[in-house]
Amino acid sequence: MKRDSEKRVFMENTQYVGKSVERLDLMSKVSGRALYTADYKFENLLEVSLVRSKVAHGILEATEVPDLPDGCFCFTSKDIVENVIPSIFNEQPVLVSDHIRYFGEPVAIVAAPSKELADKIASDVKVSVKKLPVVDDLKKALEKNSPKLFEKGNLCTEFHTVKGDVEQGFRDSFLIVEDSFETQTQLHGFIETESAVSYIDDKGRLAIISSTQNPYLDLKSASLATGRSTDKITSRAATVGGAFGGKDLTTAQVFAAVVTHCTGLPARYVYTREENIRYGFRRHKSESHAKIGFTKDGKILAAECYMDLDTGAYALYGPSVMGLGMEHFTGCYNIDNVKLDGHLVYTNRTPASAMRGFGAPQAAMAFENLINRAAKQLGISQLQIRKLNAIHTGQKGPMGGEFEHSIALEEALNKFEKSKYYKEMTENPENGCGYSLAVGMMSSGLGKHVPDNCYLDIKKSKDKYEVYLSLVDLGQGSQTVLSQIAADALGVPMSDVKVFMADSSTSADSSSTAASRSTYLAGNAIVRAAEEIKKGNSEAHVVYAFPEASGEAVHTHFAFIVQGAKVKVNSSTGKVDVLWIHNTVDTGNVINPILLDGQVFGGVAMSVGMALSEEVRYKDAVPKERSLAQYILPTSLDVPRLTNEFVINEEPTGPFGAKGMAELPTVAVAPAIVSAVESLYPNIKINRLPIDRQTILNAGRGL
Amino acid sequence: MSFLLYTPKTLNEAFEMKKETDGRYLAAGTVVFVKKPFPSNLISLEKIPELYGIRETETSVELGALVTFDEIDCSALIKEQFHSLWQAAHEVGSPQIRNRATIGGNVCSFDTSSDGICPLKAMDASVVIFDGNSLVERKITEFDSLENGEILVSVRLEKGWKSSFVKVGKRNALAISVINMTVAKKNGIVRVAVGSAGKHVLVCEKTGKILSNDIDDIEKAQDVIGSEIYPRAPETKEYKLAVARNILSDLVKELAK
């Protein structure tokens, strides 16, 4: 790949930080040597299948297990010691004992010497269910006479905040734009499905190896389900084939662990692709409404936004997703009067949980489109209206907290303005193509009131340095980035540093690899531990806590992105081709430019899918899609030309000045694409994702 | 997944094995291998020589049933003489699929969304079938199943067509046609075939007749094509009817170029 000339080392006194160091896992992955969970081999291995509910809502009356062949096992909720998968509300059982809340909910675990036999037994288990009426719609779920998933009703949590006087802001406004928007249920689309193996190790411990973002949570889940004390369990990640939030709560691990605990034998559970598509976690479907008031010059005076999220049958990370979505809704802009309202709603659909962007892309779909529509009506450029309102350090967010960290959104907009993309958009647009831009922000860290610590050890022996932490390299390249930071912080060659990650037997619990937190959090821990080593200690143990936000704010720092989309529309078919996405990123200093590009391009590809084709559709709360022939991920021919630049902006509290950014590139792609399509038709409004081709055909016919 | 694989070397051997095992004929396997339930006996046709190759005579071209989409994609002859078939082959699946998948396997899927059948029906192709005794030739428009162990040997096209194909998929590769269409013209006769808009790939005879009478009467043809196609799923019906009108116009204009 040809590198832009600006992507050089820009930091003084670093050997590795700031350079496109080759990723450490490159050769093991391209040569096929890397061991993913399903690659681990054991003798006497039991393969696991689940008996899953065939109704979306009901009461489990009986589970009849057929006579089992020798060496085969079946476990029901009666075999589970504490029947709960730990999450925010601790409400999801490992196996249903009474109330079935979604199609595919696990009812029993079957283990057999072969997968075929396990599947066969699972299909022979008779499950008697008294059906209940199904809740399949966000709005209907909140109606008084709706069937309830929980005694408390279908409203899981709500969020409300007001800053200033919104009504006065609207009264003073020259222009008010408002509209309603919907985004779909999206899948993470990782290559490796959810998977786990477990066995009893030579110390008698229950050992779990899995595809996970959080080995300690898997350990805790296994401990609750089996009643084993946590010191009799170990948990570590294998090589992980992508996660994006979908492996942030226990998936396959607890089922394998129960089998191994009860039988003493190794057990393996690997989701089929169909299980992943129908029963895995997913992005929350959203319904939102936003109203924004502007002065004649384009200054935003007031914004009122609500967003309802469908969390499916269980809350899981939903409350945090909703909170973050609301926090980010207006976050890129300095607005005096803001009102935000959100509801997280239970339905009988598959549980939604964390997915890259965590509520922010749903919010940006609404807010960024409206900003572009307003710019058009006011006769000012999409860039200018954002420069005018861009948030700066020292200003206050919608929840009243002051932004204390570095913000270079305006610089990013300035840099974007000088880009080849913007030049083409404004001076030399290609005939028949639509252009647009949108901005997004993404917080880093788990947020206030959640323990957000990194426990990190460095051990020196002779001239070699070993770094230990429980965070996971999910494929994003954190092992490489943290090795670069460690080598420069210690002032030693990278070849003398080895970073060991994601193993409960060697590191304390640093919680989930999520929330764009690894580089910032672990990087800071490494820098501090390295100081101890440089003082002459041969061992350093550091607990670094993520800084807390001030006031009512939840997150302390954010990365920013400007994303431009060039599209072409086939007027006969309504098909949209995305031709180019140009990105300008503010993520503080960049530790590894080529890995940053990788993160940006991967995030863009996910969101091109969100804009154009990806959706899990439901009928009576049963997912229609079963395979990747039906769930339409973008292929290499659908992913556009991608370019990426970054502004150089040191975050004073970051390791070598860096901020987290892993989720950032998913945020503003869809609204940029939507606005680019809207720019081609005088009277079109695209308010739903994925973009509906019929809407475009109708617009082309002047309907 | 386990199965017995038979590899006959002649059409007669294959026919006998089919009778004995009731197995399923296998071309490249790109369809068979993703469908459930998986057959327990497979009779691979790959060792039968007469199923291979593109053969040209003065007036026609014959494609062996095991000619791959990649071969069609790379054939200057097909590109020149049967442009719509070349266009269709170029867009089937992905490079990996095109390297394996065959025109014969595609035709024998009898699938309404088949990108191979659409241009072949529009260009009034024939199929050559081995029925256990001899080779018989049938119009592809009358070919909707294989009976009693029959084997598709080749596809035959008469030269002289000017044709154009378009596929509408949900993405740019590995896409199943939401709708596809071919318009073909020869000696003043225009034929229109549409896929994924009915139980089989449909030949729209009234639409073809209107265009045969007057190739410029696109609007009238557009009004009629909606009565000749039968999109089944209610949620996509309106879209398919609208797109059929639009791409018919595009294809007719393309032919006039």
Side-chain angles (χ1 to χ4, degrees):
Chain A
M1 186 193 273
K2 196 173 152 238
R3 306 299 311 156
D4 293 350
S5 58
E6 64 159 21
K7 288 178 180 173
R8 58 185 161 73
V9 180
F10 51 80
M11 271 168 267
E12 288 171 22
N13 309 321
T14 64
Q15 285 296 311
Y16 304 100
V17 168
K19 279 188 188 168
S20 291
V21 170
E22 185 179 294
R23 46 189 307 156
L24 299 170
D25 52 354
L26 182 74
M27 282 316 291
S28 75
K29 281 182 177 164
V30 297
S31 66
R33 285 199 308 273
L35 289 179
Y36 293 83
T37 299
D39 297 327
Y40 285 84
K41 303 261 189 295
F42 295 93
E43 277 180 27
N44 303 319
L45 178 72
L46 290 171
E47 300 279 5
V48 175
S49 289
L50 292 188
V51 178
R52 291 177 177 275
S53 169
K54 291 192 174 68
V55 301
H57 199 194
I59 300 296
L60 178 64
E61 292 184 324
T63 309
E64 243 179 90
V65 180
D67 288 340
L68 297 169
D70 279 350
C72 298
F73 305 88
C74 184
F75 305 101
T76 65
S77 63
K78 295 189 188 85
D79 302 299
I80 307 295
V81 176
E82 221 175 303
N83 195 6
V84 63
I85 290 178
S87 64
I88 295 176
F89 289 166
N90 295 324
E91 62 192 359
Q92 183 178 15
V94 177
L95 296 172
V96 175
S97 59
D98 50 0
H99 195 158
I100 293 167
R101 295 188 177 88
Y102 71 95
F103 177 82
E105 185 157 15
V107 174
I109 308 169
V110 173
S114 76
K115 184 68 178 166
E116 286 77 10
L117 187 53
D119 284 344
K120 169 82 174 56
I121 295 167
S123 69
D124 289 345
V125 172
K126 272 195 194 141
V127 180
S128 316
V129 180
K130 188 181 133 205
K131 283 192 186 179
L132 294 171
V134 164
V135 185
D136 189 33
D137 182 88
L138 234 166
K139 286 276 181 293
K140 284 185 188 152
L142 294 177
E143 286 170 7
K144 243 188 189 159
N145 54 358
S146 168
K148 288 178 184 173
L149 272 81
F150 292 89
E151 254 175 54
K152 64 180 177 182
N154 297 330
L155 178 60
C156 177
T157 57
E158 52 194 312
F159 177 102
H160 305 283
T161 191
V162 180
K163 172 188 161 191
D165 184 345
V166 178
E167 290 313 314
Q168 187 60 45
F170 287 129
R171 277 195 292 276
D172 294 341
S173 292
F174 170 79
L175 171 74
I176 294 172
V177 292
E178 69 176 308
D179 216 334
S180 299
F181 296 87
E182 261 182 69
T183 64
Q184 76 275 45
T185 302
Q186 190 189 14
L187 299 175
H188 306 84
F190 31 68
I191 296 176
E192 182 205 25
T193 58
E194 297 87 339
S195 47
V197 290
S198 56
Y199 60 101
I200 302 296
D201 73 8
D202 51 11
K203 291 182 180 132
R205 298 177 299 188
L206 170 63
I208 302 167
I209 303 173
S210 71
S211 188
T212 183
Q213 292 175 242
N214 193 343
Y216 269 97
L217 197 64
D218 304 324
L219 188 153
K220 193 175 163 193
S221 303
S223 169
L224 290 169
T226 62
R228 259 178 190 259
S229 63
T230 51
D231 61 345
K232 298 234 164 41
I233 307 175
T234 70
S235 173
R236 71 178 172 94
T239 304
V240 178
F244 313 112
K247 297 169 180 173
D248 199 354
L249 288 169
T250 290
T251 58
Q253 296 88 352
V254 70
F255 304 109
V258 166
V259 172
T260 295
H261 173 77
C262 295
T263 65
L265 295 171
R268 171 164 72 181
Y269 184 31
V270 178
Y271 279 31
T272 62
R273 183 59 68 183
E274 182 173 333
E275 283 182 294
N276 161 258
I277 289 173
R278 303 190 96 188
Y279 317 126
F281 302 129
R282 48 212 58 215
R283 190 190 291 290
H284 292 77
K285 177 185 163 66
S286 78
E287 295 183 16
S288 61
H289 186 92
K291 178 179 174 186
I292 318 174
F294 298 85
T295 65
K296 203 174 178 180
D297 303 327
K299 181 87 187 93
I300 303 173
L301 293 181
E304 186 175 353
C305 313
Y306 86 67
M307 181 158 73
D308 292 346
L309 295 177
D310 180 351
T311 198
Y314 295 102
L316 307 180
Y317 278 124
S320 300
V321 173
M322 192 191 61
L324 191 143
M326 299 315 297
E327 180 190 13
H328 287 62
F329 216 119
T330 62
C332 288
Y333 305 104
N334 183 35
I335 311 172
D336 288 336
N337 308 298
V338 181
K339 184 170 184 289
L340 301 170
D341 300 285
H343 301 94
L344 184 73
V345 183
Y346 294 115
T347 66
N348 289 118
R349 292 188 174 195
T350 327
S353 191
M355 180 167 167
R356 194 174 187 184
F358 216 75
Q362 292 97 316
M365 169 64 189
F367 209 76
E368 288 302 297
N369 279 328
L370 288 179
I371 296 271
N372 284 341
R373 288 182 194 170
K376 191 179 173 192
Q377 291 182 50
L378 291 166
I380 48 180
S381 75
Q382 295 179 357
L383 197 80
Q384 189 56 32
I385 199 168
R386 290 183 168 86
K387 277 196 199 174
L388 197 63
N389 293 290
I391 193 85
H392 289 86
T393 304
Q395 292 171 339
K396 283 186 176 169
M399 276 110 103
E402 189 179 309
F403 287 100
E404 293 165 341
H405 64 286
S406 73
I407 296 177
L409 177 56
E410 191 181 347
E411 290 86 338
L413 287 162
N414 287 334
K415 183 145 193 166
F416 189 91
E417 191 170 14
K418 293 195 190 90
S419 68
K420 284 183 191 155
Y421 171 84
Y422 195 69
K423 211 173 152 101
E424 182 178 315
M425 173 177 172
T426 51
E427 293 171 22
N428 189 25
E430 193 183 325
N431 200 16
C433 292
Y435 298 80
S436 186
L437 64 93
V439 301
M441 70 192 279
M442 196 68 222
S443 54
S444 172
L446 299 175
K448 199 173 271 178
H449 313 307
V450 184
D452 196 350
N453 304 309
C454 182
Y455 292 81
L456 186 126
D457 297 283
I458 299 184
K459 291 173 187 163
K460 179 184 177 185
S461 82
K462 294 185 185 158
D463 290 332
K464 302 288 178 192
Y465 302 83
E466 293 182 344
V467 181
Y468 292 89
L469 72 165
S470 79
L471 296 177
V472 190
D473 190 327
L474 306 164
Q476 82 281 49
S478 58
Q479 192 191 24
T480 307
V481 162
L482 297 178
S483 298
Q484 289 175 260
I485 291 173
D488 274 339
L490 290 160
V492 303
M494 244 178 97
S495 54
D496 288 346
V497 174
K498 190 145 191 319
V499 178
F500 296 87
M501 302 176 73
D503 188 342
S504 73
S505 64
T506 55
S507 303
D509 182 6
S510 295
S511 192
S512 183
T513 301
S516 308
R517 71 198 273 265
S518 294
T519 300
Y520 181 90
L521 183 77
N524 269 330
I526 288 171
V527 168
R528 282 153 181 77
E531 280 164 16
E532 297 299 312
I533 297 290
K534 283 197 284 191
K535 281 180 196 159
N537 297 316
S538 63
E539 276 192 38
H541 175 72
V542 159
V543 187
Y544 175 76
F546 214 103
E548 280 225 343
S550 68
E552 294 299 305
V554 178
H555 292 98
T556 165
H557 82 245
F558 301 82
F560 293 84
I561 193 163
V562 190
Q563 304 189 287
K566 174 185 177 183
V567 305
K568 192 164 194 152
V569 178
N570 181 323
S571 58
S572 294
T573 65
K575 179 169 176 287
V576 177
D577 271 306
V578 182
L579 303 178
W580 188 1
I581 301 282
H582 177 64
N583 305 272
T584 306
V585 175
D586 159 29
T587 180
N589 282 342
V590 176
I591 307 292
N592 187 321
I594 199 167
L595 285 183
L596 178 84
D597 286 354
Q599 284 277 39
V600 171
F601 297 161
V604 170
M606 286 181 113
S607 294
V608 167
M610 186 183 185
L612 298 188
S613 60
E614 292 183 41
E615 180 170 23
V616 180
R617 297 164 303 162
Y618 288 84
K619 185 170 193 306
D620 301 328
V622 177
K624 287 186 183 175
E625 279 68 26
R626 290 163 179 263
S627 77
L628 292 180
Q630 298 160 322
Y631 184 83
I632 308 294
L633 289 164
T635 69
S636 58
L637 294 187
D638 300 282
V639 175
R641 173 186 178 193
L642 297 164
T643 48
N644 181 38
E645 296 180 313
F646 46 81
V647 291
I648 294 163
N649 160 46
E650 186 172 315
E651 163 57 36
T653 67
F656 293 91
K659 297 193 279 191
M661 58 71 62
E663 299 166 88
L664 178 70
T666 59
V667 177
V669 177
I673 291 171
V674 164
S675 289
V677 175
E678 288 191 357
S679 75
L680 290 166
Y681 299 90
N683 290 314
I684 192 173
K685 281 184 176 172
I686 296 170
N687 292 358
R688 194 187 180 283
L689 294 179
I691 296 172
D692 175 35
R693 293 180 183 179
Q694 185 72 51
T695 306
I696 294 174
L697 287 185
N698 292 345
R701 295 207 302 264
L703 297 175
Chain B
M1 168 170 110
S2 63
F3 56 87
L4 280 173
L5 181 71
Y6 299 86
T7 53
K9 292 187 176 63
T10 65
L11 288 169
N12 272 317
E13 265 181 50
F15 192 83
E16 291 306 315
M17 283 171 184
K18 170 83 175 175
K19 261 203 276 185
E20 279 166 34
T21 65
D22 197 32
R24 181 160 174 174
Y25 289 132
L26 180 74
T30 55
V31 173
V32 172
F33 279 86
V34 296
K35 287 250 165 89
K36 283 178 188 168
F38 197 77
S40 47
N41 292 303
L42 285 174
I43 303 160
S44 169
L45 303 174
E46 66 184 334
K47 294 215 155 59
I48 304 174
E50 53 262 61
L51 301 181
Y52 288 91
I54 300 174
R55 294 175 288 272
E56 185 184 9
T57 70
E58 204 169 305
T59 58
S60 70
V61 171
E62 194 170 344
L63 294 95
L66 294 186
V67 167
T68 65
F69 283 109
D70 184 65
E71 284 176 77
I72 296 173
D73 190 12
C74 295
S75 164
L77 173 68
I78 304 291
K79 187 177 178 184
E80 163 82 24
Q81 289 286 338
F82 309 104
H83 194 70
S84 55
L85 180 62
W86 177 81
Q87 287 174 300
H90 188 70
E91 286 194 59
V92 165
S94 63
Q96 296 88 337
I97 300 284
R98 293 195 286 274
N99 280 336
R100 285 290 302 170
T102 63
I103 187 69
N106 193 264
V107 167
C108 292
S109 71
F110 304 106
D111 197 309
T112 180
S113 65
S114 149
D115 292 326
I117 297 174
C118 182
L120 292 175
K121 280 198 172 173
M123 293 186 288
D124 206 16
S126 301
V127 289
V128 178
I129 292 157
F130 179 68
D131 65 3
N133 294 312
S134 57
L135 298 174
V136 289
E137 189 164 335
R138 266 194 257 166
K139 286 284 181 201
I140 192 167
T141 46
E142 287 149 22
F143 179 56
D144 55 12
S145 66
L146 282 168
E147 309 285 343
N148 307 319
E150 290 173 334
I151 299 167
L152 176 70
V153 177
S154 65
V155 174
R156 188 174 290 162
L157 283 154
E158 297 300 321
K159 286 182 180 174
W161 290 98
K162 197 169 180 200
S163 67
S164 192
F165 167 88
V166 70
K167 164 181 184 163
V168 182
K170 286 187 179 171
R171 61 183 164 200
N172 292 329
L174 290 166
I176 297 163
S177 284
V178 173
I179 186 167
N180 61 23
M181 188 184 289
T182 308
V183 177
K185 189 179 172 205
K186 184 182 167 184
N187 301 331
I189 301 295
V190 177
R191 289 171 60 89
V192 179
V194 184
S196 276
K199 206 173 164 201
H200 305 289
V201 175
L202 302 166
V203 176
C204 302
E205 292 186 1
K206 288 184 210 158
T207 309
K209 208 169 233 172
I210 291 164
L211 292 167
S212 300
N213 285 337
D214 180 1
I215 191 86
D216 293 323
D217 203 352
I218 296 175
E219 274 181 36
K220 196 169 166 196
Q222 281 181 307
D223 289 341
V224 167
I225 198 165
S227 70
E228 292 197 280
I229 60 174
Y230 309 96
R232 284 175 291 178
E235 63 269 25
T236 52
K237 192 176 170 187
E238 186 196 353
Y239 175 73
K240 287 188 181 189
L241 288 171
V243 169
R245 288 178 64 95
N246 294 344
I247 60 180
L248 176 67
S249 166
D250 293 348
L251 288 170
V252 172
K253 285 174 190 163
E254 188 68 37
L255 275 198
K257 272 184 192 169

